[in-house]
C-alpha cells in the first residue's frame, strides 16, 4: 500500500489530528476578515488507488478515515455521485442508541456509542452528541414483553437500559398523555439514558475533514458506472470521469447498494424503501428525551433550537424516489397528537425523504464477498447513521488485515445462505 504513515506517527496520534478550531482562531479570523480556509480541497482523480470507497455518506467517510488514521492506508478515494452526506447521512433524524434486541446487535452498536462519545475530540470537530435519554413506549402487553426482553439483553452486556412505568415516564416527558382513557394507553417504556441525538452534518464533515487531512481523496459528482472484475477479483471501477484501477472496492451506497452489487456480480438480499421525516417551527424547549412509539409508528425529539423532529416507519413500497407525501404528513400528525395533544397548534416547517436499504432481518451486511477485493458495508435500513463510527473502524480493520473482525462477523453476507439471521426487527422497525 502506498503512502503508509509510520507506525510511530500513528501511535503518537500526530498523523491523525487535523488542525484544531479554537477561540483564538475564531478571534483572529473575526478581526482579520479573512475567509475561513476550506475544510477539504478538491484533488485530481488519480488513475490508481489502493482502496476505492463508493458512497460519501458516514459509512464511506468513516471507513476512509479509519483506514488512514488506524492503518496508515491513505491512498484511498471516496467517490460520490452527488455531494458528501447527500444520501441518508444528511437526511436522518440523528438518533443514537445501543438498546437493541440481539446480543450481536447490542455489542456492535454499543461500540459505536463509545466512539461517538469521543468523536468530537478524535476529529477535532464538535459533533454535538447530546445524551438526553431514549424512551421506547409500550402500548400493549406484547410490546411490554419485548421491552423487558431488550432490557435484560442490554443489562447482560452492561448497557444502561430498563423498563419504567407511566409515572416515571410522565416525570421525564410531562407533555406525554399518560392517561388510561386514550386509544393506545402507555403501559410502560424501555428507558435508555445513554441514547440521544447528534448533529449529522457535523459527523459527516468531521470525518471528511479528518480523512482529507490524512491524504484521502474525496471526489464529489463522481458516479461509478461499472466495476471491472476478472478471474473472481476486482480490477477497478469505471466512472463518469474515467476509469480507476484498484484492488479493493468498498460498497457504502446504502439505498443504491444493490445496483453497485450488481455491477460486481454480487447479489444482495436488500430492498430499497423511502423513509420520510418532518420538522416543525421552533417552540420553547419542553421535551428532553427522544420518544418512540412502535405501535403508533412515530418518534419525536426536540432540537437545541426548539424544532420538533418527527419520523416514522418506511413508506409501504419500494422506490428510489425521495419525494414527500401528504399521506405521510396526515398519518404522522394524527399519531403525534395521540401522544401529545398539546401540539395541535404547532406548524410543520418541512418534510423530506431518504432511501433505506432494508435486509430481511433488520441487521446490516458487512465484510468481504465471493469477489476478491469487493467489500460490502450495506443494509443500514432506517438505523445506520448511529453505526457509522463502528462500521468504519471495523471495515478499515477488515480491509487492512484481511481478516473479518469479531464484532462484524455475525453480519456476513453468507448468513443468509446459512440461515443464521440476526433478527433485530423488534428493536429497529420504527425506533431508528
Ligand atoms: C428520514 C430518515 C431518518 C433516519 N433516522 C435515523 C436515525 O435517527 N438514526 C440512525 O442511526 N439512522 C437513521 N437513518 C438511517 C441512516 O440515515 C442511514 O442508514 C445511513 O445514513 C446510511 O449511511 P451510508 O453512509 O451507508 O449511506 P448514504 O449516506 O445514503 O450514502 C450513500 C451515498 O452513495 C452515493 N452513491 C450511490 N450510488 C452511487 C454511485 N453509482 N456512484 C457514486 N456514489 C453513489 C450516494 O450519492 C450517497 O451519497 C435515517 C434515514 C432516513 C432517510
Amino acid at each position: 500500500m502506498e503512502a503508509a504513515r509510520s507506525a510511530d506517527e500513528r501511535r503518537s496520534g500526530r498523523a491523525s489530528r487535523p488542525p484544531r478550531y479554537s477561540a483564538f482562531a475564531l478571534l483572529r479570523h473575526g478581526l482579520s476578515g479573512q475567509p475561513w480556509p476550506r475544510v477539504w480541497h478538491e484533488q485530481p482523480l488519480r488513475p490508481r488507488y489502493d482502496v476505492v470507497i463508493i458512497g460519501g455518506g458516514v459509512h464511506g467517510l468513516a471507513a476512509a478515515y479509519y483506514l488512514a488514521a488506524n492503518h496508515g492506508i491513505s491512498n484511498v478515494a471516496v467517490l460520490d455521485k452527488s455531494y458528501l452526506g447527500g444520501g441518508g447521512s444528511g437526511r436522518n433524524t440523528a438518533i443514537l442508541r445501543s438498546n437493541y434486541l440481539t446480543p450481536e446487535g447490542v455489542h456492535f452498536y454499543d461500540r459505536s456509542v463509545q466512539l461517538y462519545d469521543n468523536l468530537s475530540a478524535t476529529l477535532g470537530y464538535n459533533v454535538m452528541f447530546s445524551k438526553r435519554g431514549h424512551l421506547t413506549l409500550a402500548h400493549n402487553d406484547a410490546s411490554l414483553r419485548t421491552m423487558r426482553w431488550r432490557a435484560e439483553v442490554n443489562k447482560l452486556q452492561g448497557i444502561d437500559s430498563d423498563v419504567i412505568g407511566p409515572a416515571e415516564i410522565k416525570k421525564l416527558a410531562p407533555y406525554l398523555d399518560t392517561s388510561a382513557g386514550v386509544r393506545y394507553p402507555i403501559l410502560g417504556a424501555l428507558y435508555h439514558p445513554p441514547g440521544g441525538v447528534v448533529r449529522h452534518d457535523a459527523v459527516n464533515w468531521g470525518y471528511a475533514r479528518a480523512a482529507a487531512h490524512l491524504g484521502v481523496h474525496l471526489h464529489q459528482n463522481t458516479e461509478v458506472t461499472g466495476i471491472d472484475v476478472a478471474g473472481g477479483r476486482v480490477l477497478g471501477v469505471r466512472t463518469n470521469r474515467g476509469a480507476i484501477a484498484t484492488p479493493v472496492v468498498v460498497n457504502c451506497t446504502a439505498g443504491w447498494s444493490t445496483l453497485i452489487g450488481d455491477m460486481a456480480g454480487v447479489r444482495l438480499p436488500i430492498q430499497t424503501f423511502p423513509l420520510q421525516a418532518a420538522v416543525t417551527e421552533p417552540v420553547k424547549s419542553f421535551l428532553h428525551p427522544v420518544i418512540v412509539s412502535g405501535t403508533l409508528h412515530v418518534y419525536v425529539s426536540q432540537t437545541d433550537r426548539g424544532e420538533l423532529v418527527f419520523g416514522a416507519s418506511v413508506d409501504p413500497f419500494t422506490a428510489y424516489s425521495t419525494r414527500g407525501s401528504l399521506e405521510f404528513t396526515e398519518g404522522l400528525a394524527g399519531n403525534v397528537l395521540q401522544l401529545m395533544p398539546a401540539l395541535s397548534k404547532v406548524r410543520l416547517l418541512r418534510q423530506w425523504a431518504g432511501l433505506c436499504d432494508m435486509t430481511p432481518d433488520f441487521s446490516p451486511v458487512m465484510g468481504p464477498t465471493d469477489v476478491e477485493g469487493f467489500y460490502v458495508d450495506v443494509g443500514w435500513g432506517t438505523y445506520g447513521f448511529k453505526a457509522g463510527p463502528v462500521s468504519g473502524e471495523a471495515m478499515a480493520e477488515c480491509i487492512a488485515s484481511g481478516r473479518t473482525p469479531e464484532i462484524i462477523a455475525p453480519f456476513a453476507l453468507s448468513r443468509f445462505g446459512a440461515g443464521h439471521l440476526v433478527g433485530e426487527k423488534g428493536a429497529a422497525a420504527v425506533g431508528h
Side-chain angles (χ1 to χ4, degrees), residues 165-187:
E168 280 171 280
I169 297 170
K170 191 77 181 169
K171 273 191 217 146
L172 291 166
Y175 282 80
L176 268 186
D177 187 352
T178 50
S179 62
V182 294
R183 186 163 173 211
Y184 296 104
I186 296 170
L187 304 185

Side-chain angles (χ1 to χ4, degrees), residues 393-409:
E393 182 186 60
M395 289 304 296
E397 185 186 336
C398 188
I399 293 160
S401 70
R403 287 185 305 275
T404 302
E406 167 268 327
I407 197 163
I408 60 166

Side-chain angles (χ1 to χ4, degrees), residues 212 254 256 265 296 323 352:
W256 299 266
L296 288 170
R323 293 182 62 172
W352 65 93

Side-chain angles (χ1 to χ4, degrees), residues 88-430:
S89 297
R91 296 163 187 264
N92 61 78
T93 44
I95 296 170
L96 308 185
R97 62 187 176 95
S98 58
N99 59 352
Y100 277 75
L101 179 62
T102 66
E104 298 89 336
V106 174
H107 180 45
F108 175 75
Y109 291 105
D110 179 46
R111 173 67 188 152
S112 221
V113 171
Q114 287 173 23
L115 288 168
Y116 266 118
D117 267 337
N118 290 317
L119 201 58
S120 296
T122 307
L123 301 179
Y125 206 91
N126 187 358
V127 300
M128 299 183 220
F129 181 13
S130 165
K131 287 192 171 187
R132 49 185 61 190
H134 185 281
L135 283 170
T136 316
L137 306 177
H139 301 273
N140 53 49
D141 289 340
S143 304
L144 205 52
R145 196 169 56 240
T146 307
M147 299 313 154
R148 291 207 183 96
W149 176 4
R150 278 169 68 181
E152 293 312 311
V153 174
N154 291 180
K155 280 189 259 183
L156 275 175
Q157 298 213 32
I159 309 296
D160 190 359
S161 197
D162 215 343
V163 174
I164 60 173
E168 280 171 280
I169 297 170
K170 191 77 181 169
K171 273 191 217 146
L172 291 166
Y175 282 80
L176 268 186
D177 187 352
T178 50
S179 62
V182 294
R183 186 163 173 211
Y184 296 104
I186 296 170
L187 304 185
L190 181 67
Y191 179 42
H192 177 51
V197 289
V198 73
R199 174 81 193 271
H200 57 208
D201 293 327
V203 176
N204 299 328
W205 296 335
Y207 272 123
R209 171 176 174 266
H213 173 74
L214 294 176
V216 169
H217 283 192
L218 308 173
H219 297 294
Q220 305 184 90
N221 301 312
T222 307
E223 178 166 5
V224 172
T225 53
I227 298 178
D228 294 324
V229 176
R233 59 164 53 208
V234 161
L235 299 179
V237 298
R238 275 165 280 136
T239 79
N240 59 344
R241 296 174 57 203
I244 303 170
T246 183
V248 176
V249 171
V250 192
N251 179 0
C252 293
T253 54
W256 299 266
S257 54
T258 54
L259 307 176
I260 299 293
D262 287 349
M263 291 179 195
V266 172
R267 220 173 133 220
L268 297 169
I270 285 175
Q271 286 187 305
T272 293
F273 290 81
L275 175 64
Q276 300 189 50
V279 66
T280 67
E281 60 186 341
V283 291
K284 196 172 170 184
S285 177
F286 73 95
L287 181 66
H288 193 59
V290 179
I291 311 276
V292 182
S293 166
T295 304
L296 288 170
H297 296 271
V298 71
Y299 62 89
V300 54
S301 68
Q302 188 168 23
T303 69
D304 295 331
R305 282 192 302 250
E307 301 132 329
L308 294 166
V309 179
F310 298 121
S313 39
V314 292
D315 284 351
F317 46 80
T318 56
Y320 288 100
S321 154
T322 51
R323 293 182 62 172
S325 68
L326 184 60
E327 287 87 345
F328 164 79
T329 326
E330 284 178 338
L332 180 85
N335 290 336
V336 167
L337 292 184
Q338 295 217 28
L339 287 179
M340 293 190 225
L343 297 184
S344 64
K345 294 282 186 288
V346 178
R347 283 172 298 192
L348 274 190
L349 204 61
R350 61 181 181 274
Q351 72 186 96
W352 65 93
L355 299 182
C356 293
D357 40 337
M358 307 300 297
T359 58
D361 59 359
F362 287 65
S363 285
V365 187
M366 301 180 74
T369 64
D370 286 345
V371 174
E372 199 181 326
F374 184 69
Y375 292 79
V376 288
D377 174 2
V378 296
W380 290 111
T382 62
Y383 34 81
F385 194 76
K386 70 179 70 59
V390 64
S391 303
E393 182 186 60
M395 289 304 296
E397 185 186 336
C398 188
I399 293 160
S401 70
R403 287 185 305 275
T404 302
E406 167 268 327
I407 197 163
I408 60 166
F411 308 125
L413 178 57
S414 58
R415 78 177 183 276
F416 295 98
H420 295 145
L421 302 193
V422 188
E424 279 292 359
K425 189 172 181 183
V430 177

